[in-house]
Amino acid sequence: MILSDHQRAFVERPIERKFFLEGPAGTGKTTASVGRMLHLLESGVPGDSVLVLAPQRTLASPYYEALRRATVRAGGQVTILTVGGLAQQTVDLFWPLIAEEAGFGHPEEPPIFLTLETAQYYMAQLVRPLLDQGYFESVVIDRNRLYSQIIDNLNKAAVVGFPATEIGARLKAAWSGDQSQRRIYDEAQRCALRFRAYCLAHNLLDFSLQLELFRDYLWSMPLCRHHLQETYTHLIVDNVEEDTPVAHDLLRDWLSLENQSPCCQSALLICDHEAGYRRFLGADPEDALALGEMCDERIAFTESFVASPDVQSLAEQLTCSFDQLPGVTAATTGTPQDEKSEARSLRQKILAALTYEQRRYHPEMLTWVADEIAELVHTEGALPSEIVVLAPFLSDALRFSLMNRLEQRGIPTRSHRPSRALREEPAARCLLTLAAIAHPDWGVCPDRFEVAYALMQAIEGMDLVRAQLLAEIVYRVRDGAPALSSFDQIKTEMQERLTFVLGGRYERLRVWIEDYVSQEGEEGGDGSKSKRERVPFDHFLSRLFGEILSQEGYGFHVDYDAAEVAATLIESVQKFRWVAEDDLIEEGKSLGREYLEMVRDGVIAAQYILDWQLQPEDAVLLAPAYTFLMNNRPVDYQFWLNVGGRGWWERLYQPLTHPYVLNRHWPKDEVWSDTDEVETRQNALYRLTLGLLRRCRRGIYLGLSELGEQGYEQKGPLLQAIQRVLRRL
């Protein structure tokens, strides 16, 4: 590992010390932290006494990569977790001691841990009857978003540290608008408590309940606290500014010298300045900075290893554009006294780091972006992997339009949109449509367009016109069950129109499905719906992908995005089976059909670490801006799309929750005003743009169009801030 002199000096400091390492992003803090971890191991510290905590698993990637190196000293395995993961492991270990006291219906049975997806499934079962009774009548959002916001309220209560029974009261106290919204908050409160009661009755533990059990029962138990503090005597906590108040409370107790448990021998806490991008998930950067008081020494890294001097100058000037914000101090430039010379030098730096060109229409802007990327790659020799295209929200239309333009110019691309509903992924819809056809006993009959779309995705070279023609001919619903007929039965002239190459690929897929159906019929022919499925649904999807769709001539063969979605879908089904299979068997329901219906309802995908790791070696990344920030990976060039759009500034519409009101720093009885909303949005925009600039080495390209994707004129706050920079020059 290559370290600078001041990084190496920090890494080699005495072991039995507690450090608080802070500074802007890109100054080498995580690299030094990884070096410190390896130094501990080389100094003889047992690996199993080291605990690395991160607020999100993706932020722990550098530690995983370092530990996989062959040069790492043997001697126990370093534990790398989130606070949620630590809570889950501890609850699982000490379950018999707390289950009855915590009020679970079956304390003698083991707990069942829920993912975001399975939590939404059970929430849907409980809330759907209430929706039919008139709950949330005035709320205009998809049901899956409604379920996830109720779950989010429970999570906020857990990570902030207030009782779940106070959710509705806190939201109502801060509301100053129409009185009908108060009823919505009351209904959200009742749904949350109904879900909590169901979880307690059936030993189901969602994230909020896991954290509450750990916070209220286990951490206060001397046996549990002694076990954790005796096991993990060396702490490394990265990105504490992205973690929650309850996580910070845990660290305060762990680092405190007043408790009677075994003392923490060493600790390293790392904090980014002007960050806190996960505020909507409960992050508390102000509280994180206060943790420095618990450490022996505070150390600041200030020199950037990422941003060039030109990009740093742009960041400083953009900071000045936000200097009217409360709590935001404009950075000084340190320029000479001669104002004219200063202006010329600064202008040259800004224009070297910033490239932009105004276009009238949105498609013209996308064409300009594709041309500039092609110029960087083909002419200037830039690596596609060092280019990222960012937008506040990455819609299907935007993603398709830009990827198509880049592919036409010979530029490899990939995209990453975590927490996106699985039903919105073409590859997932293809797999689930074929699964419905392969399981006629489900009685789920896709329409012809769904079948045509699945065939287009599944068969390489199959365009939508041919796919629709083929579906019209071969797809039938017989006795309430879907079926496909043979390509050989099609008239010769139509076979020639479809082509025999595509027909052969379709026939191989059809025969595979037919063989699977006949095998199911032979071994499961007693008609009993209550028995366990012979082939678990995730195994079926894995076979379909591995034996057919990933083979040459089929749509997933060289499609990295499709392979990533397939892997996510299979893991999602597997976790759903682990949680819900026994209950569904008792109710006489098919797990595969229940999962299919859950996806059709629009369940929001949980975070899968494979989504962040599975990627081609050299491709341009298309991602939402906050997703890129949480990947914490610098690049040479960033393209910001729709800079004039208000999406960079506006919060997501969340009528059932409020991330800033359900916060430890917000007074219970204070009303959330328009002034609070504007200041919050401006501060978030400031942190977002500064975070992006600090992760850019060479230059920013601005995608500007007078009219946005929806045809509206674009004059958003980010564009105005950049214009203020340019006017000053």
Side-chain angles (χ1 to χ4, degrees):
M1 175 179 288
I2 300 175
L3 299 172
S4 67
D5 290 341
H6 73 276
Q7 285 177 319
R8 186 168 298 282
F10 169 74
V11 165
E12 295 175 353
R13 282 175 177 261
I15 290 178
E16 295 192 359
R17 297 278 290 173
K18 300 171 187 175
F19 299 102
F20 189 83
L21 181 58
E22 57 187 320
T27 53
K29 300 186 301 299
T30 296
T31 301
S33 176
V34 171
R36 178 72 174 177
M37 177 187 70
L38 298 177
H39 177 68
L40 291 176
L41 299 179
E42 291 167 1
S43 301
V45 172
D48 52 13
S49 70
V50 179
L51 173 63
V52 177
L53 290 174
Q56 185 171 302
R57 287 186 297 169
T58 58
L59 293 172
S61 296
Y63 300 91
Y64 285 113
E65 293 169 5
L67 291 171
R68 283 196 290 265
R69 296 172 189 158
T71 55
V72 175
R73 180 188 177 98
Q77 181 64 47
V78 173
T79 302
I80 303 177
L81 293 170
T82 63
V83 170
L86 179 65
Q88 180 175 324
Q89 285 192 8
T90 310
V91 169
D92 196 26
L93 179 63
F94 289 93
W95 171 257
L97 300 182
I98 62 168
E100 185 173 359
E101 182 184 358
F104 284 91
H106 302 281
E108 73 285 355
E109 297 180 3
I112 301 172
F113 297 101
L114 302 180
T115 65
L116 174 60
E117 292 163 4
T118 51
Q120 288 177 83
Y121 170 75
Y122 285 108
M123 181 68 76
Q125 307 304 309
L126 297 169
V127 175
R128 196 177 291 128
L130 300 179
L131 297 178
D132 297 336
Q133 297 173 18
Y135 270 49
F136 308 115
E137 283 182 326
S138 61
V139 177
V140 186
I141 56 173
D142 291 340
R143 287 192 173 189
N144 62 300
R145 296 288 172 183
L146 188 149
Y147 303 146
S148 66
Q149 287 182 31
I150 298 172
I151 293 170
D152 190 53
N153 280 338
L154 286 166
N155 292 344
K156 290 291 194 307
V159 301
V160 173
F162 63 87
T165 53
E166 294 183 7
I167 294 170
R170 287 173 178 254
L171 292 171
K172 288 192 296 181
W175 178 252
S176 62
D178 190 275
Q179 292 300 306
S180 62
Q181 180 65 28
R182 295 176 181 273
R183 181 173 64 85
I184 298 301
Y185 290 145
D186 284 333
E187 291 170 351
Q189 175 73 79
R190 287 194 287 272
C191 290
L193 295 181
R194 184 172 183 169
F195 176 73
R196 173 57 58 83
Y198 185 87
C199 288
L200 289 172
H202 295 83
N203 285 22
L204 302 177
L205 278 73
D206 67 323
F207 171 80
S208 66
L209 192 49
Q210 294 171 36
L211 202 59
E212 286 184 18
L213 291 176
F214 180 72
R215 180 195 72 198
D216 298 336
Y217 292 90
L218 293 176
W219 186 244
S220 59
M221 183 185 298
L223 176 64
C224 173
R225 181 182 291 202
H226 182 89
H227 165 74
L228 289 174
Q229 293 183 314
E230 188 178 53
T231 301
Y232 303 116
T233 55
H234 300 271
L235 290 180
I236 297 176
V237 189
D238 208 341
N239 292 105
V240 290
E241 79 287 347
E242 303 296 343
D243 229 324
T244 63
V246 165
H248 298 157
D249 293 343
L250 168 69
L251 292 174
R252 282 191 184 89
D253 288 344
W254 210 312
L255 298 174
S256 175
L257 296 176
E258 298 176 1
N259 66 70
Q260 301 301 315
S261 298
C263 181
C264 181
Q265 295 180 23
S266 76
L268 170 57
L269 276 60
I270 302 139
C271 182
D272 274 6
H273 287 172
E274 297 162 310
Y277 312 117
R278 299 171 78 250
R279 283 179 183 265
F280 65 98
L281 293 176
D284 194 336
E286 292 80 15
D287 195 39
L289 284 171
L291 289 172
E293 301 172 2
M294 306 299 300
C295 298
D296 301 323
E297 191 174 349
R298 296 182 77 139
I299 300 172
F301 282 5
T302 57
E303 179 186 353
S304 176
F305 292 94
V306 175
S308 66
D310 295 339
V311 174
Q312 291 183 54
S313 296
L314 174 59
E316 291 170 355
Q317 289 303 306
L318 194 56
T319 299
C320 293
S321 292
F322 291 102
D323 61 3
Q324 75 277 16
L325 297 178
V328 175
T329 305
T332 58
T333 58
T335 53
Q337 297 297 321
D338 183 352
E339 293 184 359
K340 291 184 178 180
S341 174
E342 172 189 359
R344 283 196 300 270
S345 174
L346 188 58
R347 184 173 185 275
Q348 290 173 353
K349 289 182 177 180
I350 298 300
L351 295 181
L354 194 64
T355 304
Y356 60 92
E357 195 166 329
Q358 182 79 15
R359 290 290 188 269
R360 170 71 175 163
Y361 298 107
H362 188 262
E364 294 175 341
M365 181 267 291
L366 295 181
T367 299
W368 175 80
V369 168
D371 289 339
E372 291 296 320
I373 293 175
E375 176 74 13
L376 286 173
V377 173
H378 296 315
T379 304
E380 300 185 21
L383 296 174
S385 59
E386 291 297 333
I387 301 172
V388 63
V389 182
L390 304 171
F393 309 106
L394 192 61
S395 66
D396 287 339
L398 176 58
R399 173 180 175 273
F400 174 80
S401 298
L402 190 54
M403 291 185 79
N404 186 52
R405 285 170 168 81
L406 290 172
E407 287 170 3
Q408 289 174 356
R409 291 161 176 77
I411 307 295
T413 60
R414 62 187 179 93
S415 65
H416 184 39
R417 294 176 290 177
S419 299
R420 173 177 159 84
L422 289 170
R423 71 176 180 185
E424 297 174 11
E425 296 289 356
R429 292 205 302 270
C430 170
L431 283 164
L432 294 174
T433 299
L434 296 176
I437 296 172
H439 295 86
D441 56 302
W442 291 355
V444 177
C445 302
D447 59 40
R448 276 198 170 81
F449 180 77
E450 288 180 306
V451 175
Y453 196 70
L455 292 174
M456 183 183 73
Q457 295 292 325
I459 299 174
E460 185 180 355
M462 178 76 75
D463 57 79
L464 185 57
V465 174
R466 287 190 175 91
Q468 286 183 308
L469 283 174
L470 183 59
E472 285 288 337
I473 297 169
V474 301
Y475 178 63
R476 293 289 183 271
V477 176
R478 300 176 184 140
D479 300 325
L484 296 173
S485 60
S486 172
F487 185 79
D488 296 335
Q489 299 174 3
I490 301 176
K491 294 180 180 179
T492 304
E493 57 269 23
M494 187 58 69
Q495 286 181 332
E496 293 174 350
R497 185 175 177 183
L498 294 168
T499 76
F500 288 97
V501 172
L502 298 180
R505 293 170 182 170
Y506 159 76
E507 187 64 14
R508 181 184 171 192
L509 172 62
R510 186 197 67 81
V511 169
W512 188 93
I513 292 175
E514 186 178 77
D515 290 345
Y516 174 81
V517 173
S518 63
Q519 291 169 10
E520 284 284 284
E522 289 173 5
E523 299 194 28
D526 60 357
S528 173
K529 293 184 178 181
S530 63
K531 290 189 176 180
R532 192 178 302 267
E533 292 173 307
R534 186 181 64 83
V535 178
F537 188 42
D538 49 310
H539 293 192
F540 163 80
L541 293 173
S542 182
R543 285 183 54 194
L544 177 60
F545 173 80
E547 297 176 15
I548 293 291
L549 299 183
S550 64
Q551 301 301 309
E552 187 174 357
Y554 292 89
F556 294 21
H557 181 56
V558 293
D559 189 335
Y560 287 99
D561 281 344
E564 176 185 313
V565 171
T568 297
L569 181 67
I570 292 167
E571 185 177 350
S572 172
V573 173
Q574 183 185 63
K575 291 181 177 179
F576 181 71
R577 175 168 60 85
W578 290 345
V579 169
E581 185 175 38
D582 291 339
D583 290 341
L584 293 173
I585 289 173
E586 289 181 7
E587 297 173 10
K589 296 180 179 179
S590 166
L591 182 140
R593 177 171 180 170
E594 283 293 302
Y595 184 85
L596 179 60
E597 294 298 331
M598 182 178 75
V599 172
R600 286 184 169 183
D601 278 348
V603 62
I604 298 172
Q607 184 189 83
Y608 292 96
I609 198 67
L610 189 61
D611 293 353
W612 302 75
Q613 294 175 341
L614 183 64
Q615 52 189 247
E617 295 180 359
D618 196 16
V620 174
L621 172 65
L622 281 62
Y626 281 104
T627 298
F628 173 72
L629 285 176
M630 294 313 298
N631 207 8
N632 202 25
R633 182 179 69 88
V635 293
D636 288 345
Y637 301 98
Q638 294 177 11
F639 285 76
W640 298 0
L641 301 185
N642 304 324
V643 173
R646 297 181 67 84
W648 290 91
W649 184 68
E650 292 178 340
R651 290 194 297 118
L652 286 173
Y653 175 56
Q654 294 179 298
L656 272 62
T657 187
H658 198 301
Y660 295 97
V661 168
L662 300 180
N663 184 286
R664 184 171 290 186
H665 301 293
W666 186 256
K668 275 187 180 183
D669 300 324
E670 190 166 328
V671 175
W672 182 263
S673 66
D674 291 341
T675 302
D676 296 317
E677 184 68 27
V678 171
E679 289 180 356
T680 299
R681 292 183 182 188
Q682 286 277 55
N683 201 287
L685 178 61
Y686 161 78
R687 292 172 183 268
L688 170 63
T689 53
L690 198 57
L692 293 176
L693 287 165
R694 286 172 173 169
R695 290 166 175 80
C696 180
R697 297 189 183 95
R698 303 183 64 177
I700 301 291
Y701 287 73
L702 304 180
L704 301 171
S705 61
E706 293 180 25
L707 302 178
E709 192 173 0
Q710 307 300 326
Y712 298 109
E713 191 174 10
Q714 300 207 102
K715 293 183 179 179
L718 176 57
L719 178 60
Q720 294 174 23
I722 294 171
Q723 286 173 336
R724 286 195 290 271
V725 172
L726 298 177
R727 278 198 299 269
R728 283 200 300 271
L729 299 179

